């Protein structure tokens, strides 16, 4: 049995002269929350559409949940999808819509009712569950659309910009919901908000011009095992002492930030030394962060031509 929920091998998709997917290859392990990262036009939405059967690839192979390319019969009830510009049947209420979708997936009336109510609670729509969808705000409609992708607990969930248009409280609730799915369902989230993706993801696929730039765990992609950033208060950073005590580490200062680069696996052991030397120099420690951050890694790769 495959351990990947989603795999692309050299997938190509053209729209006239424009190459949307240029031999795209990547994998998403089962049970992960995967951040799908790319600039506008990188191929994210096209790849989503190929996975969900909205578009047909021109070349290459891809596999969805070990059952080959998407097929409405083989994959019935196995893939939940939220397109970027999802439209809803606005004369129905959120509760009616979710119950109907649950029944279409084979759930009993009681189960569909219970699941619809639980999902609407999770996306903070308890009080509007019986309100016609056309009367809801954009953010409310977006949350209804997210819930539709989760009906029936499909093994693979594809969400294109799910947090778009949500206020901070609503976005927090959706992030909490998606985080709880980790390990039970595979969730692939496309978003331009890389700070949000870094919070909810444990796997990352980066795209540029229809190709995969990087893939791996968030820790691997952002170098969490090798780089640590120390945000400091005022004072002269004891670079000489740090270099003397940690000879195989590199230290640079960028404003009020000390950046440490270490051999793999050495950061835990070295952190005590760094804190000792900062305390000896009377420098306050304001924040510590492992890795370079997903946003910086992506920007550096894209601008660097990686």
């Amino acid at each position: 049995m495959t351990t990947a929920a989603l795999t692309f091998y050299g997938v190509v998709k053209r729209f006239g002269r424009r190459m949307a997917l240029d031999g795209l290859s990547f994998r998403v392990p089962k049970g992960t929350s995967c951040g799908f990262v790319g600039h506008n036009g990188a191929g994210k939405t096209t790849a989503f559409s190929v996975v969900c059967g909205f578009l047909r690839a021109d070349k290459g192979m891809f596999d969805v949940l070990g059952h080959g390319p998407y097929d409405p019969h083989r994959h019935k009830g196995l893939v939940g999808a939220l397109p970027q510009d999802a439209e809803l049947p606005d004369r129905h209420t959120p509760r009616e819509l979710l119950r109907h979708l649950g029944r279409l997936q084979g759930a009993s009336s009681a189960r569909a009712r219970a699941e619809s109510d639980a999902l609407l609670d999770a996306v903070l729509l308890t009080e509007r569950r019986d309100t016609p969808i056309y009367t809801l705000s954009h953010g409310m409609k977006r949350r209804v659309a997210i819930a539709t992708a989760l009906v029936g607990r499909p093994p693979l969930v594809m969400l294109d910009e799910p947090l778009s248009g949500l206020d901070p409280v609503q976005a927090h609730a959706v992030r909490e919901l998606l985080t709880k799915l980790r390990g039970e369902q595979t969730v692939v989230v496309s978003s331009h908000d890389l700070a949000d993706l870094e919070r909810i993801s444990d796997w990352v696929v980066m795209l540029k011009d229809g190709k995969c730039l990087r893939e791996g765990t968030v820790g691997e992609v952002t170098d969490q095992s090798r780089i640590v950033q120390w945000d400091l208060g005022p004072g002269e950073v004891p670079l000489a002492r740090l270099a003397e005590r940690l000879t195989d580490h590199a230290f640079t200062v960028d404003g009020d930030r000390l950046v440490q680069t270490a051999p793999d696996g050495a950061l835990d052991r070295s952190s005590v030394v760094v804190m000792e030397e900062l305390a000896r120099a009377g420098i306050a420690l304001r924040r510590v962060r492992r890795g370079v951050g997903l946003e910086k890694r992506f920007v550096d790769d894209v601008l660097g031509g990686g």
Side-chain angles (χ1 to χ4, degrees):
M1 179 180 293
T2 180
T3 59
L6 181 61
T7 310
F8 271 44
Y9 303 96
V11 174
V12 172
K13 179 62 183 177
R14 294 177 182 270
F15 296 101
R17 294 182 178 181
R18 185 174 73 86
M19 181 81 78
L21 302 180
D22 187 6
L24 180 61
S25 299
F26 66 88
R27 63 185 288 272
V28 178
K30 285 184 177 179
T32 58
S33 178
C34 173
F36 212 55
V37 180
H39 56 85
N40 287 334
K44 304 188 302 300
T45 298
T46 301
F48 266 50
S49 297
V50 169
V51 171
C52 298
F54 305 145
L55 291 175
R56 185 172 296 177
D58 297 326
K59 293 182 182 179
M61 299 173 58
F62 69 98
D63 180 87
V64 181
L65 296 168
H67 300 297
Y70 182 83
D71 178 271
H73 300 291
R74 289 197 306 269
H75 292 91
K76 181 180 179 181
L78 300 181
V79 180
L82 171 68
Q84 185 172 2
D85 299 311
E87 293 290 339
L88 301 171
D90 59 7
R91 294 291 169 179
H92 294 280
T93 69
R95 176 183 267 173
E96 289 171 341
L97 176 59
L98 295 188
R99 286 184 182 179
H100 177 65
L101 294 176
R103 294 288 282 156
L104 286 177
Q105 292 202 10
S108 67
S109 178
R111 180 181 171 188
R113 181 169 58 251
E115 183 181 20
S116 68
D117 288 349
L119 283 171
L120 291 170
D121 290 345
V123 296
L124 305 183
L125 284 172
T126 304
E127 297 180 358
R128 303 300 295 271
R129 66 181 65 183
D130 293 316
T131 303
I133 291 172
Y134 76 87
T135 67
L136 302 180
S137 68
H138 171 77
M140 291 177 181
K141 290 179 181 178
R142 196 64 179 163
R143 283 177 280 152
V144 174
I146 292 168
T148 65
L150 300 175
V151 170
R153 299 183 64 80
L156 177 62
V157 180
M158 307 289 294
L159 303 176
D160 199 353
E161 297 288 349
L163 303 181
S164 174
L166 303 188
D167 68 30
V169 173
Q170 297 162 0
H172 173 78
V174 172
R175 283 195 300 268
E176 289 290 299
L177 173 60
L178 298 182
T179 300
K180 290 177 182 177
L181 302 182
R182 188 182 297 164
E184 299 179 5
Q185 295 164 261
T186 304
V187 182
V188 181
V189 180
S190 170
S191 176
H192 290 300
D193 190 330
L194 302 193
D196 267 335
L197 280 187
E198 191 168 357
R199 278 187 277 181
I200 65 176
S201 302
D202 50 12
W203 189 265
V204 177
V205 174
M206 286 188 176
L207 271 60
K208 179 183 179 183
D209 299 330
K211 298 180 179 180
C212 181
L213 270 179
R214 291 180 185 262
E215 62 178 308
T217 66
V218 171
E220 291 168 345
V221 170
T222 61
D223 269 336
Q224 291 180 6
S225 67
R226 298 181 54 251
I227 296 174
V228 61
Q229 301 179 67
W230 306 80
D231 289 356
L232 308 176
E236 185 175 348
V237 179
L239 290 176
R241 286 283 300 171
L242 290 171
E244 180 182 338
R245 295 189 63 183
L246 297 168
T247 57
D248 55 348
H249 295 230
F251 294 92
T252 58
V253 176
D254 181 11
D256 59 358
R257 176 171 295 170
L258 173 67
V259 180
Q260 175 188 3
T261 305
D264 278 335
L267 286 179
D268 283 344
R269 295 191 303 273
S270 69
S271 61
V272 174
V273 174
V274 175
M275 287 188 289
E276 285 177 351
E277 292 303 327
L278 293 175
R280 188 193 301 257
I283 298 176
L285 177 59
R286 293 176 173 168
R287 190 180 75 149
V288 180
R289 177 173 182 171
R290 285 286 186 94
V292 298
L294 189 56
E295 181 176 288
K296 179 171 173 52
R297 173 63 75 210
F298 175 69
V299 171
D300 286 349
D301 279 357
V302 169
L303 295 183

